[in-house]
Amino acid sequence: MLNLVLFGPPGAGKGTQSQKLIEKYGLIHLSTGDLLRGEISQGTELGLEAKKLMDEGLLVPDAVVIGMISNKLDANKTAKGFIFDGFPRTVAQAEALDELLKSKQSAISGMIALQVNDTELEHRLLLRGKDSGRPDDANPEIIRKRVKEYNDKTAPVAGFYKDQHKFTSINGMGSIDEIFAAIDHVIASY
Ligand code: AMP
């Protein structure tokens, strides 16, 4: 199985690159942000609780996202592999993901981090906020909170995969195709 973790701050291009990876490798895309927005649009209790935190730019509890990922892994038993996008976002989530995959005789192939500077990130998110309709993209104060959550809680997840020799960082500032070629090159080395 090819199990990739796409890593990077909000606006790094994880969603865009995921779409290209799905086309090329036939992987299942698991974005916890998309799954949570699905819960919100269905008006579930989980969605209502998550929305309060998401609108503030804060992370939702580990148990909530781990549960959602576990359900998706169970629902896609014959998949060729998965792209984890926006998950794991804490070290506890990374540990839980390792356990979940181990119980399915699988493992993470590698984490690929997209490096983009803060000014470019804010610019991209504000631009996306104009037509994505995402309340957390439209407000500079919330964007800064999301970047702070990323630096405080999510950046350490890179160390978790570095310790396992599964971490590669690439420049996320080029064209979509250039960045995809760099990702593809990393995948070829697995
Ligand atoms: P995203 O679409 O990945 O930018 O996620 C949007 C929001 O959903 C985040 O700001 C968090 O509030 C929440 N979220 C998504 N994935 C996770 C996760 N793995 N852990 C905690 N919160 C998450």
Side-chain angles (χ1 to χ4, degrees):
M1 275 177 104
L2 179 59
N3 293 316
L4 299 176
V5 178
L6 267 194
F7 194 66
K14 301 185 294 289
T16 305
Q17 295 298 331
S18 291
Q19 289 314 313
K20 294 182 70 77
L21 287 163
I22 294 164
E23 280 166 31
K24 177 148 185 188
Y25 292 101
L27 305 175
I28 306 252
H29 181 216
L30 295 183
S31 153
T32 39
D34 286 350
L35 293 172
L36 288 166
R37 283 183 288 277
E39 296 281 340
I40 292 172
S41 64
Q42 285 166 36
T44 65
E45 203 173 317
L46 189 159
L48 286 175
E49 284 303 311
K51 185 174 173 9
K52 292 181 207 154
L53 293 161
M54 291 167 75
D55 284 354
E56 283 297 313
L58 301 172
L59 294 186
V60 305
D62 287 336
V64 171
V65 284
I66 292 165
M68 290 194 313
I69 290 287
S70 177
N71 289 340
K72 287 287 169 187
L73 293 179
D74 285 342
N76 291 285
K77 286 207 166 74
T78 57
K80 288 183 196 162
F82 296 91
I83 306 171
F84 298 95
D85 166 2
F87 178 91
R89 257 187 167 89
T90 64
V91 171
Q93 291 176 22
E95 286 167 349
L97 179 59
D98 267 6
E99 287 305 312
L100 283 173
L101 290 172
K102 209 160 149 195
S103 72
K104 297 175 194 318
Q105 283 77 48
S106 192
I108 289 297
S109 311
M111 166 182 267
I112 302 177
L114 302 175
Q115 300 284 354
V116 178
N117 70 42
D118 286 357
T119 322
E120 171 71 12
L121 287 177
E122 191 167 329
H123 171 76
R124 285 189 193 177
L125 287 173
L126 286 170
L127 210 63
R128 181 169 87 184
K130 285 193 184 140
D131 34 49
S132 73
R134 280 180 56 169
D136 58 345
D137 277 348
N139 176 333
E141 191 197 331
I142 300 294
I143 289 176
R144 278 193 282 275
K145 260 206 220 164
R146 285 164 66 200
V147 173
K148 185 174 179 331
E149 283 280 82
Y150 176 82
N151 289 330
D152 291 349
K153 297 179 185 161
T154 306
V157 177
F160 179 88
Y161 290 100
K162 278 181 191 159
D163 288 347
Q164 297 187 12
H165 308 288
K166 288 184 176 176
F167 177 85
T168 313
S169 168
I170 63 169
N171 180 2
M173 302 274 289
S175 73
I176 291 174
D177 287 338
E178 278 165 356
I179 298 165
F180 184 67
I183 293 176
D184 223 14
H185 188 70
V186 176
I187 293 174
S189 74
Y190 290 153

